[in-house]
Amino acid sequence: MEAVECFIDCIVNANLVIPVIILLGIAAICLIFFIIKRRYELLLGAQFIMSIIIIINLLSMNCYMHSWIWIYLGIILTGSIIIVLIKYLIDTYINNKNVGSISYLSDIENEFNVQINVIDSPIIRAFIFLKRIYISMGLIERLEKDEIKAVIAHEVYHLRYSPNKIISSLLALASFSFYRYSDEFSAEKYAANVTSKESLINALKKLDIKDSEKRIKNLSS
Amino acid sequence: MVKIERISLYKEGITKFFSPNEARIMQLLWKNKKMTSNGIKKELDDLSLACVAGTLDRLVKSGYANRKIDETKNRVSYIYSPIGSRKTVGEKISEKVLESLVDTFGSSVLDAIGKIKKKG
């Protein structure tokens, strides 16, 4: 309780009550519109404003609470280092395993106007990394051409319409919301529309991935 | 996978050195020289494709099989082939076992081999 009282005193003494309330209001408006419109930019905006509010408040601390700014920056720095490290490890793995484009998939590349990089691995994977689509040999081996096309369409959605995962992870951490926007269902709907629902359902059945049953149910309804 | 501590001398055939699934797949690879995972799955229909793919991956990682991407007009798949014949693999395993025995018992292992040779 003493810490909370000290925290409130510092904000009041630094004349930050009104700016903080205004910023909180803007963040709340962003969040409400995000819930209505499901536009990820609004969520990122709200998280960014919340991060600013946290930094302003911590900087205004004059008592022992001031040390929290270092703890906060430490958390953000550690999180950033972990994210960069993970990115580096994925990058190294991809560079070692990337065999580039293959002619078998060239018609899909032309249709979606993207480059599809094949990963030399029997593990089943399809993902976006640094604005590029990657698909593993394991996945290509397991699926028929129309099913591969449905999986690629799903990734094309993420490539064109989903938020940057690094930025959204950092903002989720910095705002202490720990919430990252997920648009898997939108990507699935897009893939079903531009290819075929049957192909996508067949691919999900064959791949036996996380939540595949739930995703198939969503598509079927 | 052919680790000294995992050798089971009481088992039959090459399952002394490989797991039953690895042994079945290695036998197929030695017989057919080149196969796809789907081809292997067709021959071993009691195994799932995921199990075949996982076992093949272990065989590749431990150096008993090789894989290459094979691209035709209608299909892309891995082509698996054995690294070395059954005889070569036998020599490799024997060498490993003998090295371990010599390390433990020294020259008495060579004496035992001499005795077996005389019997043979």
Side-chain angles (χ1 to χ4, degrees):
Chain A
M1 274 317 281
E2 195 193 334
V4 175
E5 278 170 20
C6 166
F7 196 82
I8 293 167
D9 276 351
C10 289
I11 296 171
V12 173
N13 291 339
N15 291 325
L16 283 169
V17 176
I18 293 170
V20 164
I21 288 172
I22 291 169
L23 284 173
L24 273 174
I26 298 170
I29 291 166
C30 285
L31 268 181
I32 290 164
F33 275 96
F34 163 71
I35 292 162
I36 298 166
K37 302 260 182 191
R38 301 300 296 173
R39 296 274 311 188
Y40 71 84
E41 295 90 341
L42 294 163
L43 174 72
L44 296 187
Q47 287 177 328
F48 180 71
I49 294 166
M50 282 311 294
S51 310
I52 299 290
I53 293 171
I54 293 169
I55 292 171
I56 289 174
N57 284 354
L58 291 174
L59 282 173
S60 71
M61 300 294 113
N62 292 317
C63 53
Y64 68 96
M65 292 287 285
H66 190 79
S67 57
W68 277 94
I69 187 74
W70 298 110
I71 296 168
Y72 177 75
L73 292 177
I75 292 169
I76 304 302
L77 191 68
T78 312
S80 309
I81 291 169
I82 291 169
I83 290 167
V84 169
L85 200 67
I86 291 170
K87 185 179 153 284
Y88 172 77
L89 290 174
I90 296 172
D91 201 21
T92 311
Y93 171 80
I94 288 171
N95 281 336
N96 288 335
K97 301 269 185 179
N98 188 9
V99 291
S101 295
I102 55 173
S103 56
Y104 176 67
L105 300 176
S106 56
D107 51 337
I108 302 177
E109 287 184 316
N110 292 337
E111 194 174 331
F112 290 115
N113 195 23
V114 289
Q115 192 192 333
I116 303 165
N117 296 282
V118 176
I119 299 287
D120 184 4
S121 165
I123 294 169
I124 296 164
R125 286 279 183 283
F127 58 95
I128 301 285
F129 189 67
L130 298 177
K131 295 274 170 198
R132 280 185 186 164
I133 294 175
Y134 293 91
I135 183 167
S136 71
M137 268 301 297
L139 193 142
I140 297 172
E141 264 196 317
R142 204 71 64 88
L143 300 184
E144 296 302 321
K145 191 84 176 272
D146 61 312
E147 295 159 356
I148 297 172
K149 192 177 158 188
V151 172
I152 297 290
H154 175 108
E155 297 307 325
V156 166
Y157 179 89
H158 285 311
L159 183 73
R160 293 187 180 150
Y161 309 110
S162 295
N164 181 301
K165 276 191 177 167
I166 294 174
I167 291 172
S168 46
S169 303
L170 276 174
L171 282 174
L173 181 72
S175 62
F176 288 135
S177 60
F178 305 111
Y179 174 76
R180 224 180 64 192
Y181 179 67
S182 168
D183 52 0
E184 287 305 312
F185 186 56
S186 306
E188 234 122 73
K189 260 171 76 180
Y190 172 84
N193 283 338
V194 297
T195 60
S196 96
K197 199 196 265 186
E198 287 71 33
S199 305
L200 189 61
I201 289 174
N202 287 340
L204 285 167
K205 277 181 186 164
K206 283 186 187 175
L207 297 178
D208 190 28
I209 45 175
K210 191 185 155 201
D211 297 335
S212 53
E213 268 182 37
K214 192 180 158 195
R215 288 157 77 167
I216 291 167
K217 216 173 158 186
N218 275 335
L219 278 169
S220 307
S221 59
Chain B
M1 178 87 59
V2 204
K3 283 179 182 162
I4 300 289
E5 67 273 18
R6 280 185 55 198
I7 291 175
S8 312
L9 294 175
Y10 59 89
K11 284 187 180 169
E12 287 290 308
I14 61 163
T15 54
K16 285 185 179 82
F17 315 104
F18 294 94
S19 75
N21 289 344
E22 288 165 1
R24 289 169 77 191
I25 290 175
M26 280 310 292
Q27 300 279 27
L28 277 174
L29 289 178
W30 280 324
K31 188 180 152 199
N32 298 300
K33 309 282 186 236
K34 283 178 181 176
M35 288 187 93
T36 62
S37 52
N38 280 317
I40 294 169
K41 162 80 187 98
K42 270 181 200 159
E43 298 268 346
L44 310 173
D45 60 359
D46 56 318
L47 300 181
S48 68
L49 190 56
C51 174
V52 169
T55 311
L56 280 165
D57 195 39
R58 282 203 302 280
L59 287 167
V60 169
K61 280 177 181 159
S62 52
Y64 290 96
N66 195 12
R67 74 169 160 237
K68 273 185 187 169
I69 297 172
D70 183 59
E71 194 182 351
T72 59
K73 202 183 169 189
N74 303 319
R75 192 90 224 173
V76 182
S77 54
Y78 277 129
I79 295 277
Y80 291 89
S81 55
I83 295 178
S85 61
R86 192 186 153 103
K87 189 174 174 280
T88 324
V89 171
E91 283 171 7
K92 208 168 143 186
I93 295 170
S94 305
E95 213 179 297
K96 223 174 177 181
V97 173
L98 281 173
E99 265 175 17
S100 166
L101 288 171
V102 169
D103 198 41
T104 316
F105 301 110
S107 60
S108 52
V109 177
L110 301 173
D111 294 342
I113 293 170
K115 276 182 195 171
I116 295 168
K117 248 186 170 181
K118 270 183 196 171
K119 274 188 205 169

